[in-house]
Amino acid sequence: MTTPIWILALIAVLGSAAYLRVSLKSATLATAVVLIMGTSLDVIGWYTWLIFLLITLPLNLTSFRESVISRPLLKMYRGIMPEMSRTEKEAIDAGTTWWEADLFAGNPDWKKLHNYPVPHLSVEEQAFLDGPVEQVCAMLNHHQVSHQLADLPPEIWQFLKEHGFFAMIIKKQYGGLEYSAYAQSRVLQKLSGVSSELASTVGVPNSLGPGELLQHYGTQEQKDHYLPRLAKGVEIPCFALTSPEAGSDAGAIPDVGIVCKGQWQGEEVLGMRLTWNKRYITLAPVATVLGLAVKLKDPEHLLGDVEELGITCALIPTNTPGVETGRRHFPLNCMFMNGPTRGNDVFVPLDYIIGGPSMAGQGWRMLVECLSVGRGITLPSNSTGGVKTMALATGAYARIRRQFKLPIGKLEGIEEPMARIGGNAYLMDGVTSLTTTGIDLGEKPSVISAIVKYHLTDRMQRSIIDAMDIHGGKGVCLGPNNYLGRGYQAAPIAITVEGANILTRSMIIYGQGAIRCHPYVLAEMDAAFNPDTQQGLSDFDAAIFGHIGFTISNLVRSVWFGLTSSRFSESPYKDHTKRYYQHLNRLSANMALLSDLAMATLGGNLKRKERISARLGDILSQMYLASAALKRYQDEGRQRQDLPLLQWSVEDALFKAQTALDELLDNFPSGLGWVLRPLLLPFGRPFKRPSDTLDHKVAMIMQTPSATRDRLGAGQFWQNCDNNAVGIQEQTLLDILAAEPLYEKVCQAIGTKLPFMWLDKIAAEGQALGVLNEHEVALLERAEIGRMKSINVDDFNPLELTANNLSKQAAHQAA
């Protein structure tokens, strides 16, 4: 056997060891076995053994390795990587890692994903959805809310309070509903399909707000006082964080509190003088209790030696002298309660701090911990519910509406945006289900919550633009029968709040993900700044050499997957989904490798290279979205009829991840992109966007009543009632499909092809010719009424649209 063959054998052994991620000692032993075999055949000489020993002995002797290799590396690391600020560390420590860490690790465990429990509703939660949620949806007249009252009507406010809509997160011991995150998501999805105002009003008190903060951090006295009142709706809460000077950079709030003594209810007490100017605060105009974040200072050292205590959260009744609320913002014609709050030198006792005086300065940690949960539920669920309702409504409209003598849904130009809506609806529902599963398992998935906030609100906005294009004038003309226009106007609100999407994509997703999800980076950072220098060195040695092995493994896996198109990688199934799992294995290894190389070349400057961070975050995000779609397909019994929806979802996510990867390589620092491209993409870009054929299949699902279509819109409000244009249109779709063969029968009897309109007149002709019975005539007449309601738009007396009509709204507010 020749020397080149032994060299190849050695490369194969080392490559296999790296691919399989065996320990350093195991890899050393395997290499030694190959060398022994080569020596016995007189192929391997003493110089090869010398090189082997010079490399492996220092690496396997831990104490030598720490002193000679790790110590200078640690010194270099400290010079490159600055120590995290308190704010950064609190943000990093706030959440937990879950499935996204597997995706980041370059070797996802797909069995782990599919072993997560299938989300389900309790009997009580299902009854709430079928009862009070269904009722309030039927009560709401969206046109009345958005155009006439500029608010929810009083009877709906009362209904929400009486039935505990503001208490879904409050524990039962305090009178709350204590629903699962999954149940909260399903409630918000159903409400958002009817009205963004209704969903926002219910969502905010159940997300980041006084209720959540009190349950986690409040004193027992605060819990006993406020939580029962919040559960009953006696108190309406809001939480004020954002100010004119601090939007996405919430940690920079200028609002201040000064610890001091003052008069309170006739006595001198230790308290705070608070000054704030907040805006964009949902429910502030009607709130009775104000959650407030300020930077607390103790210049007289009344609480201790620290003067700058930091961000502190307090709970203040809005009837406290000096508290200003009541005025409203006007966010894009979306009439949920949102407005500013101000206060100047307002004195309150220190007991108003959530958690009491001992929690002074702990507000930022409190906020980011709660945000890591709330941000994963409210906005993603609201976006998902809107798209699910939009998908079926658009499908029905496209089947009912005709141009060029056929339903517009059969036009290829319409099929393309329809498929995007339908595919996104399927994907987004899977993502919210997986995310809330993690939350219900006790996770605080800060990285995942950032992913779903950004990507689901973004997909919602793009979907509603597509729906508007398909509906044309039907979507443009506002009125009681327009189920799109107000949602289209309000879409940018979801993009902006709870961390603007631009910031979330470019700084938060990967900024937190690189540290939280990476198996070694956080350990390296903790070790580097450990005050116990010897323990720090030992921990750093273990982390840095684990990191080096991790990088080598991902390099080997990436090259192998590129050469083989990942065909030999693991997949939990051998069916039509097999290649999707394998492609995600490849992307996972690619992202892990590129992440390490980006951190190695840029160090602490990586966080300032926001477009590099954004693209790395995009790859991670799209992998999470695709895996959520695969989990949904598994949870729903792998229904073959649903396969086009799954295929569209995963192929769209893979294509978007590939686009991010391609752009990342084009812009990779230090000119490494041209070296990495042939290693990662040796045969070019492997993934394609969903095909025209697949678009057609998805569009047909949206237009054709079936169990698959029902699953696509599951849980939304489809009741055929006066205030529900989409429910009425669903019945019209059924009537039109039933009317078409009757129309054909009459055309055959007449001997000519009539236009598919005036179906009531066609019914009369069919009855006169004796080809239609009374039931069939009634069906055609009902179908024509529904058809005209579906394709017509609203019109108004000009006086109804004048500004003077606002006086009625003002009178309503005063009442």
Side-chain angles (χ1 to χ4, degrees), residues 147 798-809:
H147 184 69
L799 294 178
E800 294 181 72
L801 303 178
T802 61
N804 290 335
N805 198 41
L806 294 174
S807 61
K808 298 179 183 178
Q809 300 171 22

Side-chain angles (χ1 to χ4, degrees), residues 322-354:
V323 175
E324 297 179 25
T325 58
R327 294 187 64 81
R328 294 181 63 177
H329 297 311
F330 192 22
L332 292 172
N333 281 331
C334 191
M335 298 301 178
F336 66 102
M337 283 293 168
N338 184 274
T341 174
R342 302 177 182 90
N344 185 34
D345 206 29
V346 177
F347 182 81
V348 296
L350 278 183
D351 290 343
Y352 278 23
I353 295 174
I354 297 175

Side-chain angles (χ1 to χ4, degrees), residues 65-307:
R65 188 180 68 199
E66 287 182 5
S67 299
V68 176
I69 302 175
S70 296
R71 191 180 298 277
L73 286 177
L74 176 57
K75 183 178 180 180
M76 183 187 306
Y77 184 92
R78 286 171 174 161
I80 295 172
M81 189 67 67
E83 187 172 5
M84 284 190 292
S85 68
R86 174 187 168 187
T87 300
E88 289 175 320
K89 186 167 178 56
E90 286 179 346
I92 292 297
D93 292 342
T96 60
T97 57
W98 190 51
W99 172 243
E100 78 279 22
D102 271 70
L103 296 172
F104 204 102
N107 187 22
D109 183 351
W110 297 111
K111 290 182 180 178
K112 178 194 289 188
L113 173 69
H114 290 307
N115 284 335
Y116 291 137
V118 178
H120 68 280
L121 298 168
S122 68
V123 173
E124 180 185 348
E125 291 166 344
Q126 186 64 62
F128 187 74
L129 277 160
D130 294 339
V133 179
E134 185 85 0
Q135 288 175 260
V136 78
C137 288
M139 291 168 63
L140 189 126
N141 181 327
H142 194 212
H143 180 68
Q144 180 192 45
V145 171
S146 63
H147 184 69
Q148 296 171 347
L149 299 180
D151 187 11
L152 299 174
E155 59 271 20
I156 287 185
W157 276 105
Q158 189 60 33
F159 187 91
L160 296 176
K161 294 175 183 178
E162 290 176 355
H163 290 85
F165 278 82
F166 300 144
M168 289 192 289
I169 62 169
I170 296 177
K171 297 184 183 301
K172 290 184 177 180
Q173 70 185 89
Y174 298 108
L177 300 178
E178 200 174 348
Y179 284 168
S180 64
Y182 178 67
Q184 294 174 50
S185 175
R186 306 312 285 190
V187 170
L188 294 175
Q189 286 185 37
K190 191 165 189 173
L191 297 178
S192 65
V194 173
S195 163
S196 58
E197 289 89 347
L198 186 56
S200 297
T201 300
V202 171
V204 168
N206 289 291
S207 182
L208 177 61
E212 182 80 351
L213 293 169
L214 282 169
Q215 290 197 126
H216 284 87
Y217 311 106
T219 65
Q220 194 59 52
E221 184 180 0
Q222 289 170 338
K223 293 177 182 179
D224 291 341
H225 175 75
Y226 278 113
L227 290 177
R229 296 171 64 82
L230 290 169
K232 295 176 184 177
V234 175
E235 304 280 7
I236 299 295
C238 71
F239 191 84
L241 175 61
T242 306
S243 76
E245 305 296 340
S248 297
D249 184 11
I253 55 173
D255 311 287
V256 66
I258 304 297
V259 178
C260 61
K261 293 181 179 180
Q263 290 294 313
W264 183 257
Q265 297 178 349
E267 297 181 14
E268 185 179 70
V269 299
L270 190 60
M272 310 172 282
R273 291 201 176 275
L274 307 173
T275 298
W276 71 92
N277 178 21
K278 305 287 191 178
R279 64 178 180 182
Y280 309 150
I281 311 305
T282 297
L283 296 183
V286 295
T288 61
V289 60
L290 169 68
L292 181 66
V294 298
K295 285 186 174 176
L296 191 62
K297 300 180 180 181
D298 186 12
E300 299 179 33
H301 300 284
L302 297 173
L303 297 180
D305 296 333
V306 179
E307 184 170 330

Side-chain angles (χ1 to χ4, degrees), residues 561-579:
F561 290 157
L563 292 173
T564 63
S565 190
S566 60
R567 289 187 181 278
F568 305 107
S569 68
E570 293 185 6
S571 169
Y573 296 99
K574 306 301 181 185
D575 59 7
H576 35 269
T577 65
K578 175 182 177 179
R579 293 293 289 145

Side-chain angles (χ1 to χ4, degrees), residues 46-56:
W46 66 269
Y47 55 89
T48 304
W49 278 101
L50 180 61
I51 294 171
F52 170 71
L53 292 173
L54 286 173
I55 294 173
T56 57

Side-chain angles (χ1 to χ4, degrees), residues 192 382-392 420-422 424-426 428 456 459-461 463-464 716:
S192 65
N382 289 354
S383 298
T384 298
V387 174
K388 286 168 63 177
T389 296
M390 188 194 312
L392 266 61
R420 288 196 293 263
I421 299 169
N424 279 328
Y426 183 88
M428 292 166 70
L456 267 58
R459 285 176 180 258
M460 174 275 294
Q461 186 181 43
S463 293
I464 201 164
Q716 298 306 103

